[in-house]
Every structure is written in structure tokens, then in C-alpha cells.
Amino acid sequence: MKIWKEYLAPTTVLTIVCIVVTLALAGTYQLTHPVIAANAKAAADAARAEVLPSGKGGYSPVDCKLLDGVADVYDADNRTGFVITAADKGFGGELVVMVGIDIDGKITGVNVLEHTETPGLGTKAMTESHLSQFMEQGRITNMNEAGVANVDAISGATISSNAVFRAVDKALLQYAQIGGANQ
């Protein structure tokens, strides 16, 4: 009887508590997972709509071979363009950029999603004035030639601004590889 009170009873109670908590957690996950997935998709589509405003109806993933540094490719459901997420190494680490490209091959928006660049210095490469250069200069002129020309680097943040440049360039190359809207 002493063994039951000192050793087996606490172990049994603790095991029952763990089983009940595990079942409660699994049930909560089953109830909340669809809501969380729907919210994540809505947030991702809202971010895509920022860089490709003409595609607000929704976005679908494109099944294609991704180039190095490209995370994903989405096609606007209304066929007005693509949203491509690409990454490159900045000064502080990986820098992730979302780029909207319309059916004419023109960049419609650039948004830096993730970075670990130095605040106040490297983050200058994420300002609206710097990113707007890509919309003015970046386009596909020929499906064999993709790229961005005449985008100025930020003095003091050259590594960060070059990382943004390379990520946008990767997105344009990916767009050219999939053949734009004529895939």
C-alpha cells in the first residue's frame, strides 16, 4: 500500500493529466487550424495585392521549376500578372522580397517582407523612395533578357540595397523563365 501512495498514485495522476491536456490541445488544433489557414491565406493575398494591385481577385500558386533564391510564384486569378517572392543575402542575413510583375513584364510593386538589416542604415534600402526605382526601371523587354537597370544603391547601405536589387532581378528572371502570362 505504501508503494501505491508514494510512487504509483502520483505517476498515474500525472499520466492522466498529460493525456487529458494532450487531447484538449489536439482538439483545439483541429478547431482552429482551418481558421488560422484561412487567415494566413487572406494575409498573404493582401500582401500580394500590395505589389500587384490589378490582381485583387485572388492568387494561385504556379507549378514551375523555381530558380535559386526564388521561394514561390503566384499567378493572379484574373491573369493580370504574377507575384514572385525571392531572397538574397544582405548585410544582416537573408532579405526576402515580394515583387509584382504585370502581363507586360513591368514591375508593379516591390515589398521587403523579411530582413535583419541594420536599423537606420541598411533599412534605407527598404524605403518607398528606393523601392519606387524598381517600378520606374524594371521590366522584361525580351524573354531572353530580364533585369533591372539604372537603380541607384544607397550610400552607406550598399550591401542591403544590392541584396534588394539581386532579389528583384531573380524575380524578373523567374518571370522570364515561366514565360510571363503566356505560359
Side-chain angles (χ1 to χ4, degrees):
M1 195 56 119
K2 185 177 181 184
I3 293 176
W4 170 253
K5 283 184 176 179
E6 286 186 30
Y7 299 110
L8 298 178
T11 303
T12 304
V13 169
L14 186 58
T15 302
I16 291 171
V17 167
C18 288
I19 290 171
V20 169
V21 169
T22 300
L23 291 174
L25 185 59
T28 302
Y29 174 79
Q30 290 299 320
L31 290 173
T32 59
H33 179 69
V35 174
I36 292 170
N39 288 343
K41 182 178 180 351
D45 282 349
R48 291 180 189 104
E50 284 183 35
V51 296
L52 187 66
S54 62
K56 282 191 178 183
Y59 303 88
S60 301
V62 175
D63 185 26
C64 65
K65 182 177 186 258
L66 298 176
L67 299 176
D68 285 340
V70 175
D72 58 43
V73 178
Y74 280 80
D75 184 9
D77 290 343
N78 61 5
R79 307 292 290 157
T80 58
F82 292 88
V83 177
I84 301 171
T85 306
D88 201 82
K89 184 167 175 15
F91 182 76
E94 187 175 66
L95 190 133
V96 180
V97 176
M98 185 177 282
V99 181
I101 306 170
D102 69 14
I103 58 172
D104 297 323
K106 185 178 183 315
I107 294 176
T108 58
V110 177
N111 191 1
V112 178
L113 300 177
E114 299 172 22
H115 71 86
T116 52
E117 302 305 289
T118 307
L121 190 59
T123 55
K124 289 180 183 178
M126 289 86 176
T127 63
E128 186 62 35
S129 63
H130 178 68
L131 296 177
S132 67
Q133 294 181 80
F134 292 101
M135 277 75 84
E136 296 163 8
Q137 303 294 332
R139 76 180 308 112
I140 303 288
T141 53
N142 172 336
M143 284 304 169
N144 296 321
E145 282 182 33
V148 182
N150 303 323
V151 174
D152 297 327
I154 303 289
S155 180
T158 307
I159 295 173
S160 301
S161 55
N162 284 343
V164 172
F165 176 88
R166 288 188 304 269
V168 171
D169 202 48
K170 288 175 186 178
L172 286 170
L173 290 170
Q174 182 71 54
Y175 178 89
Q177 184 206 22
I178 61 175
N182 300 321
Q183 58 172 339

